[in-house]
Amino acid sequence: MFDYEILRLIWWALLGILLIGFAVMDGFDLGAATLLPFVGRTDAERRVVINTVGPVWEGNQVWFILGGGAIFAAWPPLYAVAFSGFYLAMFLVLFALILRPVAFKFRSKIEHPAWRRAWDGALFVGGLVPSLIFGVAFGNVLQGAPFRFDETLRMTYEGTLLGLLNPFALLCGLVSIAMLVMHGGAWLALKAAEPVAARAVTFMHLAAIALMALFAVAGLWVTIGIDGYAITSEVAHAGPSNPLLKQVTRESGAWLANYGTHPWTLAAPVLAFLGAFGVIALSGLQRPGLAILASALSVAGVIATAGLSVFPFLLPSSLDPNASLTVWDASSSRLTLAIMLGATAVFLPVILAYTAWVYRVLRGRVTLAYVSDNTTSTY
Amino acid sequence: MTTALDLVQLSRLQFGLTAMYHFLFVPLTLGLAVLLGIMESVYVMTGREVWRRMTKFWGVLFGINFAMGVATGITMEFQFGMNWAYYSQYVGDIFGAPLAIEGLMAFFLEATFIGLFFFGWDRLSKIGHLVVTWMVALGSNLSALWILVANGWMQHPVGSRFNPDTMRMEVTDFMAVIFNPVAQAKFVHTVSAGYVTGAVFVLSISALYLLRGRHVDIAKRSMTVAASFGLAAALSVVVLGDESGYTAGENQKMKIAAIEAMWDTEPAPASFTLFGLPDQEARRTDYEIKVPWMLGLIATRSIDGEVPGINQLVAHAQTRIRSGLVAYDGLQRLQADRNDVEARARLAAHADDLGYALLLKAIRPDILAATDAEIQQAAWSTVPGVSPLFWSFRLMVGLGFFFIGLFAVAFTLASLRRLHGSRLFLRVALWSLPLPWIAAELGWYVAEVGRQPWVIEGVLPTFLAVSNLSTGSVLTTLLGFVAVYSVLLIVDVYLMTKAIRQGPAPAEPELSAEPDLAAAPAAAE
């Protein structure tokens, strides 16, 4: 069927699609949870926010689980290095995401104000912390992570949690927060009734402006402040998945090389800006449905920019650049990639179809009257 | 004390604890999802409102449990990479695929439809909502299938081989991985155990209501459903036991020999040790009470199949270690010179035993220089702790037979319409509530501790599979997980108790007065 090189490229694209799927689908409920204390002032208003995502967040979170599973299946060295290397950061994400399912479910079961405030706090943390850390992770991918392999491919990581939280990575974390708050705001503008929707629009505008500014600063920083990586040896595109068989150098400007050789890739950063601008323009035209679409395109543009900048790298090593993980030497075997492509080709369209059906069934705004009339059957 | 725990022990402790927490919620989700489907099907077929109230009531408890299952499940998907990086690198080519397919095929289905289960009652037609409920049940059961395909491969790694160019195991036959006999046996056994858990849960809480004379209409019907479903599940869990897959592989044979504390091979069919005191130091079992033929029948499903003893399996492990050293030597030469054809051939010929040589890494780093005594020591390290397995297994099997008895009585009483006549039975049913969880955790313990010292049987020893983390990092996360899970578990039990005390929503008067009128419920929208 497909040869090994093509399969690796397809799985690189699928990795991007799954990450974008996660950021678009789970991103709006992370963003809505981050906005919860600001757009909902009374318990009823907060319940409006929570019930816009209440029926769908569980399915959305599977994008995260599937992202983890797909990296494990298609890029096992990346799964091993990233999650054990970013160990404590990953624990913070898990901690925050553990709080979310129970917060949605448990909050509604007792009416006491202190109980509800506590779970509101859990939802806020569960929205903000993952948004921040995912951006920080991308920031560290762009800088390279301090890991090396021995000859049996056992990995040693020589960084710390504080090392991950360096200035550039924190800037990327802010990009991520702005992006997901914009997206969460766009969701609430579409799905919540007044007065929540109007407040959400305000935050969405601010976040869209912040995203454009922060994304531009990050781009400038990558251009002048950060070394990229480049493979200097012959590349075996269909070679064995062993990251120790190539030579890599660090050089400034290497992360911009792809935009020079393949100008079409500039579409990604352009999309990130245009999408954010579209969010503002379309919500001004009272088109919340189109605004969230623009927001989703902006999210896709931001993530695609990161992926295209570092291609063919997946995770460079700052400690031993030759050990960097790339598309050509950190994948599964050809057979596994082919099997997983088959499974994805069958099931992803099915998932999209029933997800679309569920959103259709749940169409319409969540109003204050709806949540106060249905105190037991809603969150 | 924690200072005495090394990285491997801490990592195992964290994985074991988080998996056991997760497995407190999974069996109930599996069983209750199907029970909800059955109850709602009766509602749709008969149109009687009481079945809809039943489905909604058990659905509330299902939802609380499901949230905990999701919360504890997120950790599982990422822990392989976090704490078992070398494992992920070494076998991710095979092990990752079933996990990813689980997400694609099963978890998405379950998680997308569960929202509509709770929020869709007024937005969907009766049939539409019933389909949603069954999709949740189907999703959770398919989820168990793929997780157990992954777990079955750890117990019996088929369809794969070692690739020296990538220094890892790679898949050669994916169909063999899916249709792995160990995985299939585990799936049937685990899902049945989940159904038993769901049925005991419904039975016990219904018994509580009948003892107190509350919600009798719902409690009696729930109990009848739980009794018939539970009886079938309890029979299946014992008859289609996990051990049917134990003859498949070397370590599976070691596991059953350890469970039986059977030191030497007996002539077929082997007898089953009902009671005994295993002594691992002296390598014998004292005060044995044996049931002739039983083990041979259970383990081989035949009267002439031989069940090998521990001593014989250890002797065989020694042979495999020596063969593995040849493979290891070939691998070393190949790493020095990737074009060494002769070394490549030697490695390929002995690659199946490479994992056995790696056992020596626990004793000395330069394993090619291992002495005979060290090889013998490594061979004995293939024996898991005999006493804990021996007793855990017997307690689990005892509980399994108790469940058959419990459901047989419940089924008989339900058939005679005398469920609330016997207060003794209702009390027994009520106090049986924790037992399926104990049985499930014991079963998990037997399966995974019985796999030691391997993380992948015959391929990779557990102590080599860990990430190079500081013990401080692992201790931090271990304490963090225990703290957050424990708090959530307390809240979970509290909210469950509150919902049970509150009971089902009262019947709406105009609908419950004449059951037949309930055939046309008010569909909002």
Side-chain angles (χ1 to χ4, degrees):
Chain A
M1 208 167 63
F2 296 113
D3 65 26
Y4 204 5
E5 178 182 359
I6 299 291
L7 278 169
R8 281 170 163 162
L9 277 174
I10 291 175
W11 268 101
W12 176 77
L14 275 178
L15 177 64
I17 288 169
L18 291 176
L19 287 176
I20 290 169
F22 161 64
V24 168
M25 298 301 290
D26 207 29
F28 71 71
D29 57 52
L30 291 173
T34 309
L35 284 173
L36 175 66
F38 309 106
V39 297
R41 294 185 188 152
T42 63
D43 181 57
E45 287 172 10
R46 290 185 179 182
R47 287 185 53 225
V48 168
V49 175
I50 290 167
N51 280 291
T52 62
V53 291
V56 293
W57 74 269
E58 250 152 347
N60 293 342
Q61 191 143 308
V62 183
W63 285 95
F64 178 62
I65 306 284
L66 179 63
I71 294 175
F72 199 174
W75 309 100
L78 178 62
Y79 179 84
V81 173
F83 295 140
S84 67
F86 303 164
Y87 186 75
L88 289 175
M90 198 55 210
F91 174 72
L92 286 179
V93 170
L94 291 181
F95 183 85
L97 292 183
I98 285 168
L99 290 178
R100 275 163 56 82
V102 285
F104 280 113
K105 200 77 204 177
F106 291 179
R107 185 189 185 279
S108 63
K109 302 285 178 199
I110 294 175
E111 270 194 50
H112 196 282
W115 173 266
R116 297 211 158 170
R117 268 200 307 277
W119 290 115
D120 287 345
L123 282 171
F124 172 70
V125 168
L128 184 69
V129 170
S131 306
L132 174 74
I133 304 261
F134 293 141
V136 166
F138 272 94
N140 281 285
V141 168
L142 284 158
Q143 296 172 97
F147 68 90
R148 58 186 161 77
F149 290 107
D150 71 8
E151 71 286 353
T152 66
L153 294 186
R154 178 178 294 279
M155 191 273 290
T156 306
Y157 184 88
E158 295 187 2
T160 60
L161 178 62
L162 286 178
L164 288 178
L165 302 174
N166 57 68
F168 176 74
L170 287 172
L171 173 67
C172 293
L174 291 179
V175 170
S176 170
I177 291 174
M179 173 177 101
L180 297 183
V181 165
M182 170 185 81
H183 199 48
W187 169 258
L188 291 175
L190 177 70
K191 289 292 288 185
E194 300 304 342
V196 172
R199 290 179 202 142
V201 167
T202 309
F203 283 102
M204 176 183 76
H205 283 174
L206 289 174
I209 293 165
L211 173 63
M212 288 191 276
L214 292 165
F215 189 65
V217 173
L220 201 62
W221 197 325
V222 168
T223 311
I224 57 176
I226 284 184
D227 287 348
Y229 294 74
I231 304 177
T232 51
S233 57
E234 185 94 10
V235 180
H237 292 175
S241 273
N242 184 334
L244 296 179
L245 307 176
K246 65 176 177 312
Q247 261 98 52
V248 171
T249 56
R250 290 177 73 148
E251 53 191 58
S252 83
W255 285 157
L256 302 176
N258 286 336
Y259 299 106
T261 47
H262 304 286
W264 60 266
T265 52
L266 283 167
V270 169
L271 191 63
F273 283 110
L274 276 184
F277 184 76
V279 168
I280 299 171
L282 288 162
S283 76
L285 297 172
Q286 304 290 320
R287 301 296 298 270
L290 289 177
I292 195 166
L293 189 65
S295 175
L297 290 173
S298 177
V299 168
V302 170
I303 293 172
T305 302
L308 289 167
S309 299
V310 299
F311 182 88
F313 288 86
L314 297 167
L315 180 60
S317 167
S318 54
L319 198 63
D320 176 13
N322 291 345
S324 298
L325 306 181
T326 74
V327 172
W328 314 121
D329 60 15
S331 77
S332 284
S333 64
R334 183 173 169 270
L335 181 56
T336 297
L337 290 183
I339 291 163
M340 288 311 302
L341 178 59
T344 310
V346 171
F347 288 109
L348 201 55
V350 177
I351 291 166
L352 293 176
Y354 60 62
T355 302
W357 180 73
V358 166
Y359 279 79
R360 213 182 107 73
V361 171
L362 294 164
R363 68 189 175 276
R365 285 180 190 268
V366 176
T367 62
L368 282 166
Y370 168 73
V371 295
S372 55
D373 290 349
N374 296 281
T375 46
T376 52
S377 63
T378 60
Y379 289 143
Chain B
M1 287 284 95
T2 48
T3 47
L5 287 175
D6 64 14
L7 175 65
V8 176
Q9 287 169 309
L10 277 172
S11 304
R12 283 187 62 193
L13 192 58
Q14 174 167 313
F15 197 93
L17 280 174
T18 49
M20 285 177 97
Y21 263 107
H22 184 50
F23 208 55
L24 287 174
F25 310 102
V26 171
L28 185 59
T29 297
L30 284 171
L32 214 43
V34 176
L35 281 164
L36 290 175
I38 294 172
M39 290 174 188
E40 195 175 337
S41 297
V42 177
Y43 163 63
V44 170
M45 285 188 289
T46 65
R48 286 170 189 265
E49 193 60 21
V50 62
W51 289 91
R52 175 172 145 120
R53 283 168 54 226
M54 254 167 85
T55 312
K56 281 191 155 185
F57 168 65
W58 294 111
V60 169
L61 300 176
F62 177 79
I64 297 171
N65 177 70
F66 188 84
M68 287 294 286
V70 172
T72 52
I74 294 168
T75 310
M76 302 313 298
E77 186 88 9
F78 294 90
Q79 255 195 121
F80 298 102
M82 290 171 67
N83 293 85
W84 304 93
Y86 197 63
Y87 170 91
S88 307
Q89 150 71 26
Y90 202 76
V91 300
D93 192 67
I94 307 120
F95 188 83
L99 289 199
I101 297 176
E102 188 263 349
L104 280 168
M105 186 198 232
F107 193 36
F108 249 119
L109 190 67
E110 185 184 12
T112 306
F113 282 104
I114 191 144
L116 275 193
F117 174 80
F118 291 106
F119 288 80
W121 284 104
D122 297 331
R123 289 174 180 264
L124 294 164
S125 67
K126 278 206 277 182
I127 299 282
H129 194 277
L130 180 66
V131 170
V132 164
T133 306
W134 278 113
M135 284 298 140
V136 173
L138 178 69
S140 62
N141 280 270
L142 284 175
S143 186
L145 173 66
W146 287 103
I147 296 303
L148 290 164
V149 164
N151 181 271
W153 189 80
M154 296 169 75
Q155 317 277 351
H156 184 48
V158 290
S160 54
R161 68 155 177 258
F162 180 75
N163 179 350
D165 295 321
T166 54
M167 281 303 294
R168 65 179 182 192
M169 299 294 291
E170 291 184 353
V171 73
T172 53
D173 181 356
F174 195 64
M175 285 300 138
V177 175
I178 296 178
F179 295 104
N180 183 347
V182 175
Q184 299 299 322
K186 275 184 172 300
F187 171 63
V188 176
H189 182 68
T190 308
V191 165
S192 303
Y195 296 170
V196 168
T197 308
V200 171
F201 183 77
V202 171
L203 192 76
S204 298
I205 292 164
S206 304
L208 174 74
Y209 288 150
L210 291 181
L211 281 168
R212 302 244 171 111
R214 296 174 58 206
H215 316 298
V216 173
D217 54 340
I218 281 190
K220 271 165 67 179
R221 287 179 175 87
S222 298
M223 216 172 202
T224 307
V225 174
S228 22
F229 181 66
L231 182 59
L235 285 169
S236 151
V237 87
V238 171
V239 175
L240 302 172
D242 198 17
E243 75 284 352
S244 57
Y246 280 9
T247 50
E250 202 83 11
N251 177 255
Q252 298 291 93
K253 287 178 190 153
M254 181 61 91
K255 192 188 282 180
I256 206 159
I259 285 170
E260 287 312 313
M262 190 173 85
W263 299 95
D264 285 298
T265 308
E266 292 178 22
S271 53
F272 177 83
T273 309
L274 199 60
F275 177 86
L277 294 178
D279 183 341
Q280 193 140 3
E281 292 292 309
R283 294 170 190 168
R284 63 159 196 267
T285 305
D286 301 323
Y287 309 111
E288 286 179 312
I289 302 172
K290 293 191 163 199
V291 185
W293 285 39
M294 270 290 282
L295 177 61
L297 290 173
I298 293 172
T300 68
R301 299 287 195 269
S302 73
I303 52 165
D304 53 359
E306 194 170 73
V307 185
I310 292 171
N311 287 320
Q312 285 68 33
L313 288 168
V314 168
H316 190 57
Q318 258 194 64
T319 322
R320 293 194 69 178
I321 292 171
R322 288 181 195 281
S323 160
L325 284 170
V326 179
Y328 188 80
D329 181 53
L331 180 61
Q332 297 262 293
R333 285 166 198 272
L334 202 55
Q335 277 179 338
D337 173 13
R338 275 167 45 85
N339 300 317
D340 187 337
V341 181
E342 193 262 343
R344 192 175 282 269
R346 262 150 61 85
L347 170 61
H350 293 266
D352 286 348
D353 296 323
L354 180 63
Y356 276 83
L358 296 178
L359 287 169
L360 283 163
K361 289 265 183 189
I363 301 167
R364 60 186 303 159
D366 52 336
I367 62 173
L368 289 173
T371 64
D372 285 349
E374 285 167 337
I375 289 175
Q376 200 178 12
Q377 188 190 343
W380 274 100
S381 76
T382 59
V383 186
V386 173
S387 283
L389 289 177
F390 183 87
W391 289 113
S392 304
F393 182 78
R394 271 149 193 77
L395 191 49
M396 176 186 76
V397 172
L399 286 169
F401 281 102
F402 170 78
F403 295 135
I404 294 181
L406 179 73
F407 286 118
V409 173
F411 187 74
T412 312
L413 289 174
S415 308
L416 301 172
R417 300 190 174 277
R418 291 192 42 210
L419 271 176
H420 57 317
S422 166
R423 294 189 71 80
L424 174 66
F425 167 75
L426 292 177
R427 279 201 196 92
V428 172
L430 173 60
W431 290 105
S432 300
L433 183 59
L435 299 182
W437 278 273
I438 294 172
E441 296 286 342
L442 286 170
W444 176 84
Y445 179 88
V446 168
E448 305 310 309
V449 173
R451 171 168 48 77
Q452 300 307 323
W454 302 106
V455 67
I456 305 287
E457 186 237 300
V459 170
L460 187 66
T462 308
F463 67 87
L464 285 179
V466 288
S467 305
N468 280 347
L469 294 163
S470 71
T471 50
S473 293
V474 182
L475 194 59
T476 307
T477 57
L478 172 61
L479 294 176
F481 279 125
V482 169
V484 68
Y485 281 180
S486 300
V487 170
L488 293 181
L489 183 63
I490 292 167
V491 177
D492 170 79
V493 172
Y494 172 76
L495 290 177
M496 281 271 195
T497 316
K498 185 168 177 273
I500 291 166
R501 196 172 296 140
Q502 233 162 30
E508 288 163 39
E510 73 273 24
L511 290 174
S512 62
E514 174 55 57
D516 286 345
L517 287 179
E525 254 197 8

